[in-house]
Amino acid sequence: MLKFYPYYFKKRTPELGRYFGIFKDEKLVAVTGERMQMDDMTEVSAVITDTDYLGKGYAKQLVAFVSGKIFDDNKTPFLHVAESNMGAKKLYDKLGFCHRGKINLWGVKR
């Protein structure tokens, strides 16, 4: 298992959606997947990289790949991030996510 954020992945996490990873020398070094599934949108979530492999573009590759899968399903991918997480915001900007706004997830229609 990844040596970072083990609390992101619980026993039933894979039931939330598809998850994809990048392996190097048979070691999982980066992972992302889907969480919240709605009729027209799917959340890209748990974008994490092993601290020994940061800066190699793995998160960017995975977010682009998962987003493509979501578009293939005729849905819109969306990401959530804490306002203070500047690294994630810069990554999402590089990937071309074009709208950022505060949302209350309880108000998102299914």
Side-chain angles (χ1 to χ4, degrees):
M1 180 50 91
L2 303 166
K3 70 177 185 180
F4 49 91
Y5 303 118
Y7 51 86
Y8 268 47
F9 298 96
K10 305 293 184 191
K11 190 174 186 175
R12 298 184 64 189
T13 296
E15 295 175 19
L16 298 170
R18 301 171 291 192
Y19 281 79
F20 302 93
I22 293 177
F23 291 81
K24 291 291 178 189
D25 300 320
E26 299 184 28
K27 177 184 177 186
L28 181 62
V29 299
V31 66
T32 194
E34 302 168 338
R35 292 248 169 122
M36 191 181 321
Q37 308 263 342
M38 292 171 274
D39 292 340
D40 298 324
M41 298 168 41
T42 299
E43 175 191 14
V44 177
S45 189
V47 182
I48 52 177
T49 303
D50 186 305
T51 54
D52 292 338
Y53 294 84
L54 293 173
K56 299 188 183 302
Y58 297 143
K60 184 176 180 177
Q61 291 175 45
L62 284 170
V63 170
F65 183 80
V66 171
S67 296
K69 294 285 189 189
I70 294 167
F71 282 125
D72 289 346
D73 294 338
N74 293 316
K75 292 184 172 186
T76 302
F78 74 95
L79 302 124
H80 74 275
V81 63
E83 286 187 71
S84 61
N85 190 341
M86 296 308 294
K89 286 175 152 181
K90 287 178 184 177
L91 170 65
Y92 300 158
D93 287 342
K94 281 184 187 179
L95 290 171
F97 282 85
C98 57
H99 177 77
R100 182 179 303 135
K102 291 183 182 184
I103 62 170
N104 175 348
L105 291 179
W106 299 112
V108 175
K109 301 227 184 231
R110 181 167 158 66

